[in-house]
Amino acid sequence: MQRSRSQVIFRHLPGAVFHHDEGPIVRTTFVDGTRLGPVINKAVLLEEVDRHLEQWPDEHLAGIVRPSRVSERDFVVIEPEAVYFEVWPLLLHCEGRCGRARRYFRPSQLSADVDANGRISCHHCGGRMRQLRYYACHQCGRSEPMFTPKCDACNSYEDVVLEDTGSFETSYWRCIRHGYLRGTRFTPCDCGEFLAEGSHGPAFMRAFTTRDARTYYPHTVTFLNPKSAVYDRFQVHPARARVALASYLGEVSSLQRGMEQIDGGRAGSRYTPDEWQQACKTIYAGLSPEDLEIIRDRRGPVITGVFGAPDPDLAQRRLAETRAVLERAAVHDQDLVARRTLEDARQEAASRGVVSEEGRLSETERYARRMGIAAVSVTTAFPVALAAYGYTRVRREPGESILQGFDRRRYGNQYPIFAVPTDTEALIVTLAARDVLGWLRDEHDGAGPVPVDEKDARLQVFSLFAAGAQEIEPVGTLVHSVSHALLRSLADGRSGFGESSLAEWLSPATLTFGIYVATFHSHTLGALWTVLHHSCQEWLAGAIDGVWTCDNDPLCHQRQPRACERCLYLTFGCPDFNEDLSRTAPMSFWRGTARRADASSATT
């Protein structure tokens, strides 16, 4: 049986029950594969897993611990390559005349009943025996073949038949000789967990078909996973904060060159700006302007690149060293992640002399600016990884089930995490800092005037985030809500991907987010490239329309914050679990940017 790695993550991990291509129903016992080393950023992965596990009470975790409480060496990351399974459940029924059920307790017992044709036959009528497609599960993680009753009158299981009506509510067990025995709806579970409210008796398992998705919910995380020696070096470089901030301010386009510039300045070949100012006050204080200019040409500071941006203070440095800001710098390094901007597309159309296409893309650029969007780009090399760290049954939510880790005895007593790294397609969007500050001023009484220069505005936004200023809090909601609005608009028949196949990446302090294809296939056929080139304006307009109306209105309109599953929530793909969202933020932001754009045009 051939399956993709992502299919293994979602459907075939240990404990999962599935239908084999050759017919039998089976249960995964073990997944083997390559132990991932530098290919995966293990520290980032464990940080994400820990963030997910902190939602769960300790008593509802089984077979896994929070990574922050143990050593990184206690976890092993595996890329799935081989799935081992056993035939399960071992409850068969006759498809012949009698319909009798027979339960086996070990796979080896099946071979004793195989006939000359290689099939398992009924002892009574010779009919073909086939697995029953039902089994029982409970939120505690336990799974069992469906309970088979014994006929008390016969004192035997031999003549028991399942009368399958197609519904567990009405199906029942009967004895061929003595009639009705019992229904199928309830099987006791001795875990004592998740009792019905007010109940003091046993918990009950529920019966499901073997294809029911509720029997196995894999719990996964996705995270950015740039695979580059340059990025690995950048993450630990002493000046990573300065390079990351310079990248956001548009002074640096290459992390490698930014680090080289810093290292060169420290080697003494040239002064940094701060060092040059100090040297002018001390070493060169008595020189003439002519002599000072000669020395400046030879050893003076470079005022472009990294040194074109201010040296971050302590608060800015701490923010710039956070994962989201470092990732933003990596994503905007063309040497690491090749991107194509809306401006690139327009310039190429102009170079080819396609006037109609150039005009359409120019109009799209103006429309984006009117929405307060500074840049839109697409990449087919967005480096993400999908990882599964456990599973639940019957219920997915914390507090309603027990999250099971995978059996670590087969993995050197390390907790296994199964991961699939890939490069996928993504749209990357950055909001205009001047428009964001204008929105803060108009809608939330933001402090201070709006800078004229976009770079100065970006630095002001970043500084407010770094200082933890209260007035900047609405910006996080704005960035997150705009991301959801654009993702849902993209999934509305414009990209060929459904909402559950898309996910978001967020860097609020840099006003940047990405929307990427989370199918983890080897290629996505350029669907998002097509959106950028041919239907970008329709996509953006769809986001505006989407926040102004909701199928749950007027109830959603009256909520605070104004967001629900019919307008902004994502089923999957939100790293913040649909927290901090409001339609009010993008509504007022887009209304304000359009008003300011109209006023600017009128003045011009």
Side-chain angles (χ1 to χ4, degrees):
M1 184 177 72
Q2 298 295 320
R3 291 291 186 270
S4 69
R5 296 169 302 161
S6 58
Q7 283 181 302
V8 173
I9 291 289
F10 287 115
R11 300 179 184 175
H12 305 312
L13 292 178
V17 175
F18 61 95
H19 287 243
H20 193 278
D21 291 351
E22 295 183 4
I25 302 166
V26 299
R27 178 174 62 183
T28 303
T29 57
F30 175 55
V31 174
D32 200 4
T34 301
R35 272 60 174 170
L36 295 175
V39 175
I40 204 84
N41 193 324
K42 188 175 181 181
V44 173
L45 166 58
L46 295 183
E47 180 184 332
E48 279 296 293
V49 171
D50 194 81
R51 193 168 69 88
H52 280 239
L53 291 181
E54 71 180 2
Q55 302 176 83
W56 295 77
D58 288 344
E59 62 271 20
H60 288 174
L61 297 178
I64 191 170
V65 296
R66 289 182 58 184
S68 60
R69 297 176 179 176
V70 295
S71 169
E72 184 178 300
R73 293 188 298 273
D74 288 323
F75 286 83
V76 60
V77 185
I78 300 168
E79 185 171 18
E81 291 179 350
V83 175
Y84 297 85
F85 50 82
E86 63 183 359
V87 176
W88 192 92
L90 298 178
L91 178 59
L92 282 67
H93 72 112
C94 175
E95 292 187 317
R97 290 170 296 173
C98 71
R100 286 179 170 86
R102 176 178 293 274
R103 182 170 181 178
Y104 298 82
F105 294 91
R106 294 183 305 278
S108 59
Q109 293 176 321
L110 293 172
S111 59
D113 289 341
V114 176
D115 61 19
N117 296 319
R119 67 181 188 181
I120 301 173
S121 300
C122 176
H123 293 181
H124 297 274
C125 71
R128 182 177 180 177
M129 300 289 287
R130 185 181 293 274
Q131 288 169 284
L132 275 170
R133 56 189 179 94
Y134 310 121
Y135 68 107
C137 295
H138 190 241
Q139 291 103 302
C140 70
R142 181 183 171 192
S143 62
E144 295 285 344
M146 200 163 62
F147 175 76
T148 309
K150 179 175 70 173
C151 177
D152 293 333
C154 300
N155 195 31
S156 171
Y157 296 93
E158 283 295 316
D159 297 325
V160 173
V161 174
L162 174 67
E163 290 293 345
D164 185 3
T165 65
S167 167
F168 292 121
E169 299 292 326
T170 56
S171 296
Y172 63 94
W173 293 98
R174 68 175 178 86
C175 175
I176 289 178
R177 300 177 185 275
H178 298 96
Y180 178 86
L181 296 178
R182 55 163 287 171
T184 62
R185 287 182 291 169
F186 302 109
T187 300
C189 184
D190 58 6
C191 69
E193 296 281 348
F194 307 106
L195 302 174
E197 186 175 352
S199 171
H200 301 286
F204 285 95
M205 306 176 75
R206 290 183 58 189
F208 297 92
T209 68
T210 50
R211 295 186 184 275
D212 196 315
R214 292 172 293 176
T215 60
Y216 193 88
Y217 290 110
H219 283 253
T220 63
V221 296
T222 55
F223 59 99
L224 251 64
N225 184 50
K227 300 175 286 293
S228 164
V230 171
Y231 183 66
D232 292 342
R233 179 174 168 240
F234 170 62
Q235 291 184 94
V236 298
H237 195 279
R240 59 189 178 276
R242 186 162 192 176
V243 176
L245 180 57
S247 171
Y248 173 50
L249 297 179
E251 299 289 353
V252 170
S253 60
S254 166
L255 301 185
Q256 176 69 31
R257 288 193 291 274
M259 290 186 289
E260 288 174 351
Q261 195 173 12
I262 289 285
D263 295 339
R266 288 183 173 173
S269 60
R270 281 185 176 271
Y271 288 109
T272 66
D274 294 338
E275 291 169 343
W276 175 251
Q277 288 182 6
Q278 186 63 28
C280 289
K281 295 176 182 178
T282 56
I283 302 174
Y284 309 125
L287 295 182
S288 67
E290 292 79 10
D291 291 338
L292 187 62
E293 189 62 30
I294 293 172
I295 295 175
R296 181 184 180 90
D297 289 341
R298 295 176 179 174
R299 300 203 55 199
V302 178
I303 58 174
T304 59
V306 171
F307 298 121
D311 192 7
D313 60 28
L314 180 60
Q316 292 171 338
R317 189 177 304 117
R318 287 174 175 169
L319 177 59
E321 290 177 345
T322 58
R323 180 155 57 90
V325 178
L326 297 179
E327 288 176 346
R328 195 267 181 198
V331 168
H332 284 76
D333 183 340
Q334 289 278 15
D335 296 332
L336 299 182
V337 180
R339 293 179 299 112
R340 183 178 179 82
T341 66
L342 192 58
E343 182 181 1
D344 292 335
R346 175 182 56 77
Q347 290 177 349
E348 182 187 329
S351 67
R352 291 188 287 112
V354 185
V355 177
S356 59
E357 184 176 346
E358 180 189 4
R360 177 172 51 77
L361 291 170
S362 294
E363 175 59 30
T364 301
E365 285 185 285
R366 287 191 292 271
Y367 194 89
R369 286 195 295 270
R370 186 180 172 85
M371 289 178 63
I373 294 174
V376 183
S377 58
V378 66
T379 177
T380 57
F382 196 67
V384 296
L386 168 72
Y389 57 89
Y391 65 92
T392 57
R393 298 192 190 277
V394 183
R395 300 279 187 179
R396 177 187 291 274
E397 298 78 11
E400 297 186 5
S401 56
I402 292 179
L403 195 151
Q404 299 280 339
F406 304 111
D407 189 352
R408 56 182 178 149
R409 291 174 295 180
R410 293 179 178 266
Y411 303 96
N413 210 33
Q414 294 176 291
Y415 297 103
I417 296 177
F418 301 98
V420 179
T422 189
D423 289 337
T424 187
E425 198 171 8
L427 284 163
I428 302 166
V429 179
T430 298
L431 300 184
R434 293 188 69 251
D435 286 318
V436 170
L437 290 173
W439 172 75
L440 269 181
R441 179 195 60 199
D442 297 343
E443 302 291 336
H444 298 278
D445 299 323
V450 177
V452 175
D453 185 71
E454 177 68 11
K455 184 174 77 171
D456 293 338
R458 288 188 177 190
L459 183 59
Q460 182 173 326
V461 170
F462 194 86
S463 299
L464 289 170
F465 268 103
Q470 186 174 0
E471 61 262 34
I472 204 68
E473 290 181 3
V475 175
T477 302
L478 172 67
V479 174
H480 196 192
S481 301
V482 170
S483 174
H484 277 232
L486 287 172
L487 189 152
R488 289 179 65 101
S489 176
L490 193 67
D492 191 20
R494 293 185 173 88
S495 65
F497 294 106
E499 179 238 302
S500 61
S501 297
L502 298 168
E504 66 175 349
W505 161 78
L506 298 168
S507 180
T510 61
L511 307 180
T512 304
F513 58 87
I515 301 170
Y516 63 89
V517 180
T519 60
F520 293 87
H521 293 165
S522 58
H523 56 83
T524 56
L525 301 179
L528 302 189
W529 183 94
T530 301
V531 170
L532 183 75
H533 284 71
H534 300 291
S535 58
C536 187
Q537 185 168 332
E538 290 81 0
W539 164 51
L540 298 176
I544 295 177
D545 293 340
V547 299
W548 280 99
T549 59
C550 174
D551 291 343
N552 281 343
D553 280 341
L555 295 179
C556 180
H557 185 83
Q558 296 168 353
R559 295 177 63 172
Q560 289 298 330
R562 191 180 296 171
C564 72
E565 68 281 356
R566 304 302 293 272
C567 56
L568 282 188
Y569 288 178
L570 302 181
T571 309
F572 303 102
C574 175
D576 292 330
F577 312 105
N578 293 318
E579 293 292 331
D580 197 22
L581 292 169
S582 176
R583 281 194 290 150
T584 305
M587 287 167 66
S588 59
F589 177 67
W590 286 328
R591 182 176 56 227
T593 56
R595 184 176 62 247
R596 286 189 292 274
D598 291 341
S600 176
S601 299
T603 302
T604 304

